[in-house]
Amino acid sequence: MKIALFGQFGCGNSGNDGSLQAMVELLRTTVPEAELVCVCPAPDQVEEDIGIAAISSFRAEGGSEVFQTLDRLLLRLPGRLLNLLYPLAPLLGTDLVLVPGTGFLDDFREMPMGWPFMILRWSIASRLAGAKLAFVSIGAGPIRHPLSRRFMAAAARLCHYRSYRDTQSRDFMTSLGVGNADDEVYPDLAFALGTPPASPPQDAKALRVGVGVMSYAGWMRNGGEGIYERYLDKLVAFIRWLRGQGHDIRFLTGDVQDQQALWQIIKRLENDPPCDTDSTVTMQPAGTLQEIMREIAQTDIVVATRFHNVVCAMKLCRPVISLGYADKNEAALNDAGLAGYSQHVEHFDLELLKDQFVRACQNRHAIAQTLAAARARYAARLVAQAEVVARLLPRGPRSTTGGSTSHAAYDRNLSGKPYPHAGGDAG
């Protein structure tokens, strides 16, 4: 049995790689005999971090001098044809091509002939190779470029199975003529990861605040410098206000690119006069969702922009305020019962953010209980999602009891208790 996992993995985005890790753990529990291979832009990184075989989603350029000369003479047409055909060969003999979560169907910072067309190419190749194609618990929308919308909608129509991580994603794809309101909605796959031991929340007036930073400069690639500077200005002003209240700051990131914004914020804070309170500022490298959760476990409340920073805070039952760049953040909070604790990153109001923070602090114990109830609900839904994935496989998974498939290890992860994941790093 061969299963290919397709997505933007190994590129430094902890949310994407955490979704891959969660699915690998599920598959190793459900079908330990299956051969797993990841199709992604950075296969070497995935092999090192996740411990499964990986191949590049891009065809390596080059070839003989004769071919390169012929390619130039023919206006690059032979090379483009090979690019189109490249996905077919590695998928021959594959039983299932599975997209594990992530915000797979959006065009954030992408042009149509980039990742959107890549998705369509590999989806077509999956069908031509005779494999089943499944998009599992994915995020969708917005897709702002019309051509990207066509490519991604066409790819989604090729699926044998689709499920979404929120109703807004499902409704967005339904508006494009893909599926209907009966398509299943399951929680984000990151909720299936094990959680680290967490220190109990403090009751002191001065709290430990996790501040999630993102190098956000607008949805599309061009014209976002003003957005980026306004975001940093307001976030720095908020951090200064927090420190003035005596709160400790612990910085969080979610992508290697976020280091740029983090260092610019630190540089601005270094020029401040000495703080009148005992507030401290901490930043620790965190490249995986497990590491990010370990950082969040040392906080009492989180304010974040990255979607999976928000998800990790929810998983650890920490009150969280979202400064999101897409509807997915607000959808996650609303579904968990935290409506009213989000704003859009491009035009968030600083005074409203302070008010949201004060309300979250005052209600943090009730919010923690609300999130604990949501986590229990998500656990049941993710076990159901695991059963669906098992039914997609070409032959039934083996059971040591002779009955239904055992998901004991998977259930341990979902319970929120510590659980060592397959890579050996404590989850």
Side-chain angles (χ1 to χ4, degrees):
M1 189 187 307
K2 183 177 179 181
I3 302 171
L5 301 157
F6 174 47
Q8 285 190 317
F9 305 120
C11 304
N13 184 288
S14 59
N16 287 358
D17 292 348
S19 298
L20 173 64
Q21 181 70 57
M23 183 55 70
V24 167
E25 290 177 1
L26 163 64
L27 294 173
R28 282 175 168 163
T29 300
T30 308
V31 279
E33 73 277 16
E35 175 189 355
L36 305 181
V37 60
C38 183
V39 178
C40 61
D44 292 343
Q45 194 65 47
V46 166
E47 290 186 351
E48 179 181 344
D49 294 344
I50 309 295
I52 62 173
I55 61 173
S56 177
S57 50
F58 299 90
R59 182 183 72 89
E61 299 294 336
S64 67
E65 291 186 10
V66 173
F67 175 81
Q68 293 183 52
T69 301
L70 181 63
D71 192 38
R72 287 194 298 271
L73 291 174
L74 296 178
L75 305 177
R76 306 291 184 185
L77 292 178
R80 291 173 181 171
L81 179 59
L82 286 178
N83 284 339
L84 289 173
L85 296 177
Y86 165 71
L88 184 58
L91 291 181
L92 292 175
T94 300
D95 299 293
L96 174 66
V97 177
L98 192 154
V99 175
T102 77
F104 189 66
L105 296 179
D106 70 38
D107 61 350
F108 178 64
R109 313 294 284 178
E110 291 286 349
M111 297 303 292
M113 299 308 297
W115 190 246
F117 187 55
M118 182 75 70
I119 290 174
L120 179 58
R121 285 168 51 200
W122 281 90
S123 297
I124 292 173
S126 300
R127 297 300 297 259
L128 291 176
K132 285 187 176 180
L133 178 63
F135 293 177
V136 177
S137 199
I138 63 164
I143 309 174
R144 295 188 175 173
H145 196 288
L147 188 55
S148 297
R149 204 175 298 129
R150 288 180 178 272
F151 288 158
M152 290 181 166
R157 290 189 186 98
L158 292 172
C159 287
H160 295 85
Y161 172 80
R162 290 180 302 271
S163 67
Y164 300 100
R165 67 186 180 192
D166 53 58
T167 56
Q168 289 176 253
S169 294
R170 180 187 64 188
D171 294 346
F172 174 78
M173 294 307 294
T174 301
S175 73
L176 300 183
V178 179
N180 53 54
D182 293 330
D183 285 344
E184 293 280 3
V185 174
Y186 293 95
D188 187 86
L189 291 175
F191 281 107
L193 291 170
T195 53
S199 60
Q202 297 183 154
D203 286 326
K205 182 178 179 182
L207 301 178
R208 303 164 299 174
V209 184
V211 177
V213 175
M214 179 178 176
S215 291
Y216 180 79
W219 186 266
M220 305 307 289
R221 287 185 179 274
N222 299 321
E225 189 61 32
I227 294 172
Y228 177 68
E229 290 299 328
R230 287 192 297 273
Y231 168 61
L232 291 189
D233 287 343
K234 288 191 282 189
L235 198 57
V236 167
F238 179 64
I239 292 168
R240 287 170 176 155
W241 177 79
L242 289 174
R243 299 196 68 198
Q245 302 293 311
H247 302 302
D248 294 333
I249 308 300
R250 182 172 290 270
F251 284 112
L252 311 168
T253 58
D255 192 290
V256 292
Q257 297 180 1
D258 296 339
Q259 293 299 320
Q260 173 189 352
L262 177 58
W263 285 115
Q264 289 191 21
I265 288 174
I266 293 295
K267 186 175 181 180
R268 296 185 190 194
L269 294 174
E270 285 177 346
N271 296 326
D272 288 353
C275 188
D276 293 334
T277 68
D278 294 329
S279 171
T280 62
V281 176
T282 305
M283 56 177 180
Q284 293 289 339
T288 69
L289 287 192
Q290 285 86 0
E291 291 169 347
I292 290 171
M293 282 191 281
R294 278 196 285 271
E295 291 298 300
I296 292 176
Q298 301 177 65
T299 69
D300 302 299
I301 185 171
V302 171
V303 179
T305 297
R306 288 272 180 194
F307 174 74
H308 279 99
N309 281 183
V310 172
V311 167
C312 287
M314 294 169 60
K315 184 168 173 59
L316 288 166
C317 299
R318 294 303 195 250
V320 57
I321 301 166
S322 164
L323 302 175
Y325 59 93
D327 291 342
K328 57 188 177 182
N329 291 31
E330 185 175 16
L333 291 179
N334 290 351
D335 185 72
L338 295 189
Y341 287 101
S342 64
Q343 295 190 60
H344 195 283
V345 66
E346 292 187 20
H347 44 73
F348 72 91
D349 181 87
L350 184 57
E351 294 306 313
L352 176 57
L353 177 59
K354 294 176 183 178
D355 178 68
Q356 289 172 321
F357 179 84
V358 170
R359 285 192 288 114
C361 289
Q362 293 171 343
N363 299 317
R364 60 184 182 276
H365 299 298
I367 289 173
Q369 292 177 351
T370 298
L371 290 175
R375 188 172 69 180
R377 176 161 49 90
Y378 296 158
R381 292 292 294 155
L382 282 168
V383 169
Q385 175 75 100
E387 297 289 351
V388 172
V389 171
R391 289 197 293 272
L392 293 171
L393 300 174
R395 54 192 174 87
R398 292 182 296 191
S399 171
T400 58
T401 63
S404 60
T405 303
S406 172
H407 292 284
Y410 191 58
D411 291 347
R412 272 203 304 276
N413 269 12
L414 294 170
S415 70
K417 298 178 182 177
Y419 177 75
H421 67 68
D425 189 13

